Amino acid sequence: MSDNTFRLAIYITGFVLGFVLMGFEMLSSRYLNPYFGSGIYTWAAIISVTLFSLMLGYFLGGRLVDRFPNASLLGVLILFAAAGMAIIPPFDDQMLGWVIVTVGDGPEGVTTASLFLLIVPLTLISCYSPFAVRLLLESTDTSGRQTGAVYGINTFGNILGTLFTTFYLIPTIGSVAITWVFASVTVACGLFLIYIGRRRRA
């Protein structure tokens, strides 16, 4: 696989994962609202847990890519992120009901519920950025430009994911269906990264 093709594949995957990440953050509010409402506590918990997950993903991804600089490992992490999304629809009622009973419906409860919903998929998807930067820097001398492109394209995906999920997907197809769509798209990204990682080694 040529350097240009590899870079394009990484950029496209980053855009899609950025879309899914913020789309799933917005979607999480639909799972939480029936139990905790849609007030400032709920959104504070969602935003804080999202930022915490990004922080963990950046640290984890940076450590892993220094030891194993290959897109295939990133693909495996993304597949686990998809699994973290896919288990939510069958178990959200039991999980959120348990939080209400054991922790309560106040700030501690909604923060705990947000952690259960978001921590695994968002942390693993957030591993993308440090992986992408390290992998792209191996094939170019324009380090600043490539780093900026990774974060810029990923953030553009974040913006579209937020808007499209909120204004179109949620009113049109509902929370459970969107979760399955996001999980399926994330699986496709994971398999694609494994593929390009193997092609790159070959």
Side-chain angles (χ1 to χ4, degrees), residues 69-143:
N70 189 278
S72 294
L73 175 57
L74 177 59
V76 172
L77 296 174
I78 298 303
L79 289 179
F80 279 108
M85 293 181 196
I87 65 172
I88 290 173
F91 300 108
D92 68 298
D93 285 333
Q94 298 93 316
M95 178 188 68
L96 296 175
W98 178 84
V99 171
I100 291 286
V101 171
T102 58
V103 186
D105 59 357
E108 299 84 0
V110 70
T111 302
T112 302
S114 299
L115 281 167
F116 280 134
L117 289 174
L118 297 174
I119 190 71
V120 171
L122 266 55
T123 295
L124 295 177
I125 291 175
S126 298
C127 292
Y128 161 82
S129 295
F131 259 87
V133 169
R134 172 65 187 273
L135 294 173
L136 291 176
L137 293 186
E138 292 181 351
S139 61
T140 182
D141 295 326
T142 57
S143 58

